[in-house]
Amino acid sequence: MQPGPYNGQGAMGLAATPSARGEPPLILMVGADDQLAKLAAAARAVLSDTGLEVRAIGDPTQALEILQNERVDVIVAADALPKMAGADLLAQVRHRFPATARVLATTQDLVPADQLQGADCALLTRPGDPDHLAGCLHGALESRAQQCVYQRWRESHGGRSRVQLEQCFEDSLAQMWMAFQPIVSRVDGTIIAHEALMRTHAESLRSPPEILGAAAELDRLFDLERRVRERIAAQILEGPPDLLYFVNLHPASLTDDLLYSDDDPLVSCAPRVVLEITERASLHDVSDIVNRIQSLRDRGYLIAVDDLGAGYAGLTTFVTLRPDFVKFDMLLVRDIHKSLTNSRLVKALSEICKDIGVLTIAEGIESVDERDHVLDLGCDLLQGYLYGRPSSELC
């Protein structure tokens, strides 16, 4: 299953995104009674604040009937089911209901490829691990959301074919440019960094979610992120020499060999680049993650965790990456001066980060009240429309 890419602009709010009929996203879990009860309870616990519905059934035939009559965003099937194997059920779902994201719950670390023939699914290999469960489910939801982006694009463009989508994607790559949004110091508002954000002049795929949805559909995420890194590198070399540049990196791109090569466009600028890895997608499918991150550090890159507090991968992402920076999700920051819960969370995380030498960034600052409050909570750096909108001009 192609991982769902981030949007390059902060939170998409996927967990709370309702269906086209105004209903909350539905996760359907299929398995034997004993394991199913535990898995469903764990899923409800880790998703309790997201507005998602978790429904559990034991009969795979009944699951197919539900899919026939209702929109199901994610189906999670145990590997051993009454009447059929979980992978066989997911293969049927892929054939009959391709818009539904598919997850196979198994205790095997490696599942033979022939068992997954036709299922094209994500693997939930540690069902009892809340962080792994949350990351897997939210990754599946993000994949589903990007599929919806592609479907909406087709509908708005007269049902264009895959070949036409490929051409539109190429046009977007050819006309791509980068916008930069300032990140400022808490001390005096001095700009210390910019976040690079993808833009294009192409007409048919203009917004980042549309381009990313097309990249996911066409299995061309690497091509997209390589072009982004190429464009950013060109502008870094022309920009102020004393600034850092935050560059969004989807966890799936950590498996791109070019990223670790001397041929990568960004490598010559590495000491001035902070790679932002979103917490809104799972790292569980990236093998040897610790060594990969160390290899990037050895090249001079700094590491940031984006969207901390979004809840998709939990604090496991933070612990695994050992970042130099963390960005608090803008949904935490929005009207934070009115939310005791969000305030307590940001304050606690800021104190932990300060103790271990990690700098914190509050993004999405739009008002003086939000600014003053996150400063009181201990945030080190600030980003948002209050300080500047994304622009092609570096300052």
Side-chain angles (χ1 to χ4, degrees), residues 289-343:
I289 181 66
V290 173
N291 287 334
R292 290 180 185 273
I293 294 297
Q294 186 57 52
S295 178
L296 293 173
R297 290 187 183 281
D298 290 343
R299 289 188 167 274
Y301 293 109
L302 298 172
I303 303 297
V305 170
D306 193 13
D307 301 325
L308 188 70
Y312 280 45
L315 292 178
T316 300
T317 305
F318 180 84
V319 174
T320 301
L321 299 183
R322 295 178 291 110
D324 305 283
F325 301 86
V326 298
K327 276 190 169 184
F328 295 127
D329 184 68
M330 65 172 62
L331 295 181
L332 278 180
V333 173
R334 183 67 58 245
D335 291 326
I336 189 170
H337 54 292
K338 300 177 182 178
S339 172
L340 180 59
T341 299
N342 288 5
S343 297

Side-chain angles (χ1 to χ4, degrees), residues 222 226 229 249-267 275 277 286-299 301 303 321:
F222 285 3
R226 288 172 180 179
R229 298 200 298 271
L249 187 72
H250 190 278
S253 287
L254 290 169
T255 63
D256 181 1
D257 291 340
L258 182 64
L259 184 64
Y260 308 89
S261 164
D262 290 340
D263 296 326
D264 190 80
L266 267 186
V267 70
L275 296 176
I277 302 173
V286 181
S287 62
D288 201 21
I289 181 66
V290 173
N291 287 334
R292 290 180 185 273
I293 294 297
Q294 186 57 52
S295 178
L296 293 173
R297 290 187 183 281
D298 290 343
R299 289 188 167 274
Y301 293 109
I303 303 297
L321 299 183

Side-chain angles (χ1 to χ4, degrees), residues 29 38-44 46-47 76 124 126-139 284 312:
M29 311 195 104
K38 294 179 181 178
L39 188 57
R44 293 188 183 103
V46 299
L47 302 173
V76 181
L124 175 62
R126 301 193 300 278
D129 181 339
D131 280 327
H132 181 51
L133 176 61
C136 188
L137 292 179
H138 283 297
H284 292 294
Y312 280 45

Side-chain angles (χ1 to χ4, degrees), residues 87-363:
D88 293 337
L89 170 62
L90 297 181
Q92 290 194 44
V93 172
R94 181 191 181 196
H95 176 68
R96 296 173 56 185
F97 313 101
T100 298
R102 300 164 298 280
V103 177
L104 181 67
T106 177
T107 56
Q108 304 179 65
D109 289 330
L110 294 174
V111 180
D114 58 351
Q115 291 186 24
L116 299 177
Q117 188 71 29
D120 187 24
C121 58
L123 294 178
L124 175 62
T125 56
R126 301 193 300 278
D129 181 339
D131 280 327
H132 181 51
L133 176 61
C136 188
L137 292 179
H138 283 297
L141 279 169
E142 185 137 346
S143 178
R144 172 68 178 86
Q146 290 303 324
Q147 176 67 19
C148 290
V149 168
Y150 171 61
Q151 289 175 342
R152 289 194 297 272
W153 179 86
R154 290 198 66 203
E155 291 168 0
S156 64
H157 291 78
R160 289 186 180 180
S161 67
R162 186 181 180 89
V163 172
Q164 291 170 313
L165 178 63
E166 185 87 42
Q167 183 58 58
C168 291
F169 182 72
E170 288 291 345
D171 291 343
S172 293
L173 290 185
Q175 300 183 61
M176 183 168 293
W177 60 280
M178 303 308 300
F180 295 87
Q181 186 174 35
I183 299 172
V184 306
S185 168
R186 66 170 287 133
V187 177
D188 55 7
T190 302
I191 296 175
I192 61 94
H194 283 91
E195 179 180 0
L197 300 167
M198 174 180 64
R199 300 290 187 265
T200 184
H201 294 299
E203 291 297 326
S204 56
L205 288 172
R206 295 212 60 171
S207 71
E210 284 183 317
I211 300 170
L212 288 159
E217 174 66 21
L218 299 169
D219 196 22
R220 295 192 59 185
L221 178 63
F222 285 3
D223 292 338
L224 175 60
E225 296 216 338
R226 288 172 180 179
R227 180 60 57 87
V228 167
R229 298 200 298 271
E230 176 186 298
R231 292 286 189 263
I232 293 172
Q235 290 188 253
I236 288 178
L237 294 175
E238 297 176 357
D242 54 346
L243 298 181
L244 292 174
Y245 296 87
F246 283 67
V247 177
N248 289 291
L249 187 72
H250 190 278
S253 287
L254 290 169
T255 63
D256 181 1
D257 291 340
L258 182 64
L259 184 64
Y260 308 89
S261 164
D262 290 340
D263 296 326
D264 190 80
L266 267 186
V267 70
S268 62
C269 313
R272 299 169 61 192
V273 171
V274 182
L275 296 176
E276 277 191 50
I277 302 173
T278 180
E279 197 208 19
R280 288 184 170 271
S282 175
L283 291 170
H284 292 294
D285 294 329
V286 181
S287 62
D288 201 21
I289 181 66
V290 173
N291 287 334
R292 290 180 185 273
I293 294 297
Q294 186 57 52
S295 178
L296 293 173
R297 290 187 183 281
D298 290 343
R299 289 188 167 274
Y301 293 109
L302 298 172
I303 303 297
V305 170
D306 193 13
D307 301 325
L308 188 70
Y312 280 45
L315 292 178
T316 300
T317 305
F318 180 84
V319 174
T320 301
L321 299 183
R322 295 178 291 110
D324 305 283
F325 301 86
V326 298
K327 276 190 169 184
F328 295 127
D329 184 68
M330 65 172 62
L331 295 181
L332 278 180
V333 173
R334 183 67 58 245
D335 291 326
I336 189 170
H337 54 292
K338 300 177 182 178
S339 172
L340 180 59
T341 299
N342 288 5
S343 297
R344 286 176 172 172
L345 179 58
V346 168
K347 182 176 178 60
L349 290 172
S350 295
E351 290 175 350
I352 293 171
C353 288
K354 183 177 181 179
D355 287 344
I356 60 178
V358 176
L359 293 176
T360 55
I361 304 171
E363 63 177 337

